[in-house]
Amino acid sequence: MFFLNSLQLTGKGNPRCTAAACDLLLLGLMLLSHTERTLAKDNAKAVWKGKGSTANLKEIMTGRCFNYIGTINPNAGNKDCSKLWEAFLRAFSSKDPCNVTQEDYKPFLDLADHDIPANQSIFWSQSKGLIFQYSDITEKVMPLESTLIGSMTDNLNWCGKLSSPGPNFEACPEWKDCKNNSISSFWKAASENYAKKAHGEVTVMLNGSARDNAFRKNSIFREIELGKLDNKHVTFIHLWIMDNIDGPDKESCGVGSVAELETILKEKKIKYSCKDNYRPVRMLQCVGKSDHQSCKLGTEPKV
């Protein structure tokens, strides 16, 4: 309707326009105006409040790739870091950041994939920092973040936009803003891929002091990874329920949501053991807090 006033569309004022033609033209202009208002409204909704893609995303990811295959884990095999970046970028570039699917990341995951040694798969929920401490010191486990896929992407942010190719460095949806956002779809796809490769003995570390349940209903471990573990490939699961060093002790083996997890493992016929505040991991928590009661040798870890 923005230029209707400048047109002479009546039958008498515009001999080139019949009454029927003018009516159709007016209807078309009204629909165009409505469409423009709708698009403007949709664009307003698309102004995300989350932080934009990490600056120098390409350089960081390719650098991590070269470092991983060159020094961290040469056993990952020959990988083309440039092609890995291109496959990763195609997954979300020039797309609505709330319409990126797990399937979009499959080419990247396939290119970056490598074997996970038997008995080294470890899953976590609300205990990421502790997992990293344990894996770095013992080198007995390889969490998702220590694979090439996880190493290239951990702690980074990214999304694209429909209007132009490449990462959107201005703003991205936050995890809970929409279901199929660039970040959540990636980690769900990567987690499923990681869980499918688990074999032998598997470890699960949960936070017994978490504000929510240790075995949260909306966690990736519960929604994605647990369903991919079966007794044909996984021979045993070690459950470690770790309280924060200063507590509280909200959930333990056989208590609350942990008991629910144990029931699921029994139904899946997967053998398991459950330990509260597993001593070797507890000692890592004691770094800097050696005077804490649970850190003293000869005492059971209590909170």
Side-chain angles (χ1 to χ4, degrees), residues 48 50-60 85 89 92 157-161 164-172:
W48 307 110
K51 63 181 181 180
S53 300
T54 303
N56 304 308
L57 181 65
K58 176 181 178 180
E59 292 76 12
I60 292 172
W85 161 253
L89 180 62
F92 64 89
N157 203 58
W158 65 85
C159 73
K161 54 184 175 181
S164 62
N168 180 355
F169 294 104
E170 298 174 0
C172 294

Side-chain angles (χ1 to χ4, degrees), residues 149-160:
I149 291 169
S151 180
M152 287 181 65
T153 55
D154 191 34
N155 291 326
L156 299 181
N157 203 58
W158 65 85
C159 73

Side-chain angles (χ1 to χ4, degrees), residues 21-250:
C22 287
D23 288 344
L24 288 173
L25 182 58
L26 281 169
L27 178 60
L29 291 171
M30 291 174 66
L31 290 172
L32 176 62
S33 176
H34 174 73
T35 300
E36 288 179 339
R37 290 196 301 270
T38 301
L39 288 173
K41 184 177 180 182
D42 288 343
N43 286 336
K45 289 182 179 179
V47 178
W48 307 110
K49 295 182 180 180
K51 63 181 181 180
S53 300
T54 303
N56 304 308
L57 181 65
K58 176 181 178 180
E59 292 76 12
I60 292 172
M61 289 188 62
T62 53
R64 287 182 176 185
C65 176
F66 283 118
N67 184 48
Y68 189 89
I69 62 178
T71 62
I72 296 176
N73 184 15
N75 293 327
N78 295 323
K79 305 292 182 183
D80 188 322
C81 295
S82 295
K83 288 185 178 179
L84 281 173
W85 161 253
E86 292 169 2
F88 180 78
L89 180 62
R90 282 196 299 270
F92 64 89
S93 181
S94 300
K95 296 180 182 178
D96 180 342
C98 278
N99 192 26
V100 179
T101 67
Q102 293 178 226
E103 189 67 21
D104 289 330
Y105 288 104
K106 189 176 187 305
F108 168 75
L109 297 177
D110 288 344
L111 287 174
D113 207 18
H114 58 80
D115 291 335
I116 309 297
N119 308 322
Q120 290 195 22
S121 295
I122 184 167
F123 301 90
W124 59 270
S125 182
Q126 305 174 95
S127 55
K128 182 178 180 180
L130 199 53
I131 281 285
F132 283 176
Q133 283 182 278
Y134 182 78
S135 63
D136 288 346
I137 291 176
T138 66
E139 299 183 350
K140 291 182 178 180
V141 294
M142 182 183 288
L144 169 58
E145 293 78 6
S146 294
T147 65
L148 177 58
I149 291 169
S151 180
M152 287 181 65
T153 55
D154 191 34
N155 291 326
L156 299 181
N157 203 58
W158 65 85
C159 73
K161 54 184 175 181
L162 283 169
S163 60
S164 62
N168 180 355
F169 294 104
E170 298 174 0
C172 294
E174 295 182 344
W175 186 283
K176 295 182 179 180
D177 284 345
C178 47
K179 182 178 180 181
N180 292 322
N181 69 72
S182 306
I183 301 293
S184 64
S185 291
F186 170 79
W187 285 112
K188 289 176 181 177
S191 297
E192 180 175 336
N193 180 73
Y194 176 78
K196 286 179 178 179
K197 301 173 75 63
H199 60 291
E201 296 187 9
V202 166
T203 303
V204 176
M205 186 188 296
L206 304 179
N207 188 339
S209 297
R211 181 175 61 180
D212 298 325
N213 293 335
F215 182 49
R216 290 182 302 141
K217 290 185 177 180
N218 62 345
S219 68
I220 285 183
F221 172 65
R222 181 164 184 157
E223 290 187 341
I224 304 291
E225 296 166 331
L226 181 60
K228 302 303 177 183
L229 304 181
D230 61 64
N231 57 20
K232 293 181 180 179
H233 303 96
V234 176
T235 58
F236 198 88
I237 291 183
H238 302 274
L239 294 180
W240 298 342
I241 314 303
M242 303 303 302
D243 296 328
N244 297 338
I245 195 72
D246 293 317
D249 180 11
K250 292 184 62 179

